[in-house]
Amino acid sequence: MNSSEKRKLILNCIHDCEKNGRFLQEKMFLQHGKVSVYRHSINVALLCLDITNRFNFRIDCKSLVRGALLHDYFLYDWHTHKSFFCSHGFTHPFIALKNAEEDFVLTQCEKDIIVHHMFPLVPFPPLSLEGWVVCAADKICAVSETVHAMKLSLKNLFAQQKEEK
């Protein structure tokens, strides 16, 4: 898939998720550092297509992108949401799937991606190659976004200390 096709697929899927669901609500919630759930989901979808192209995987690209965009479709602020007996990391894939099924008709592949993307924290591995790609891309993006936020925090801390001197 060339970059033009990739861009068109991503934009079409984002448009569909915004028009037919509550995807825009993800802009209100932070995921890692100052990155919104919305931006994180798009980052994961983009990285998934890059991984797929790099390794020449033969997969369902549309399901891959839709699953990546909806993998964190939990629609709440996980930093303050305390209504579950166990942590957000364990429960949000199931909440994301429930929300996605309310708003969209999902393929089996998309369901697999959403509910299994937290493997190995949630001990159910993906059943599809697309699920494994999203699982890996999600972790790569999470680390990258978190490290970037930590760098910014350290930079601000050092700037404050320099001003105080």
Side-chain angles (χ1 to χ4, degrees), residues 7-22:
R7 178 177 163 76
K8 185 176 179 182
L9 176 60
I10 293 274
L11 290 174
N12 286 341
C13 289
I14 290 170
H15 176 72
D16 177 62
C17 289
E18 289 176 352
K19 181 181 172 196
N20 299 310
R22 296 169 280 171

Side-chain angles (χ1 to χ4, degrees), residues 45-83:
L46 289 167
L47 182 56
C48 284
L49 289 178
D50 289 344
I51 291 169
T52 299
N53 285 345
R54 180 159 179 87
F55 294 102
N56 202 25
F57 290 147
R58 294 180 148 207
I59 61 165
D60 178 350
C61 287
K62 185 176 180 186
S63 287
L64 175 74
V65 170
R66 278 177 41 104
L69 291 174
L70 298 172
H71 81 280
D72 280 339
Y73 199 62
F74 46 84
L75 306 173
Y76 59 82
D77 182 354
W78 69 269
H79 301 89
T80 59
H81 198 263
K82 302 287 184 195
S83 66

Side-chain angles (χ1 to χ4, degrees), residues 93-108:
F94 305 100
I95 295 165
L97 178 61
K98 178 185 161 292
N99 289 339
E101 287 180 320
E102 288 173 4
D103 294 352
F104 306 100
V105 175
L106 302 174
T107 66
Q108 280 304 117

Side-chain angles (χ1 to χ4, degrees), residues 150-165:
M150 290 170 65
K151 282 182 183 178
L152 288 177
S153 293
L154 286 172
K155 184 178 176 182
N156 291 337
L157 179 65
F158 291 137
Q160 267 182 334
Q161 287 177 344
K162 190 175 180 179
E163 287 176 9
E164 291 172 1
K165 288 182 180 179

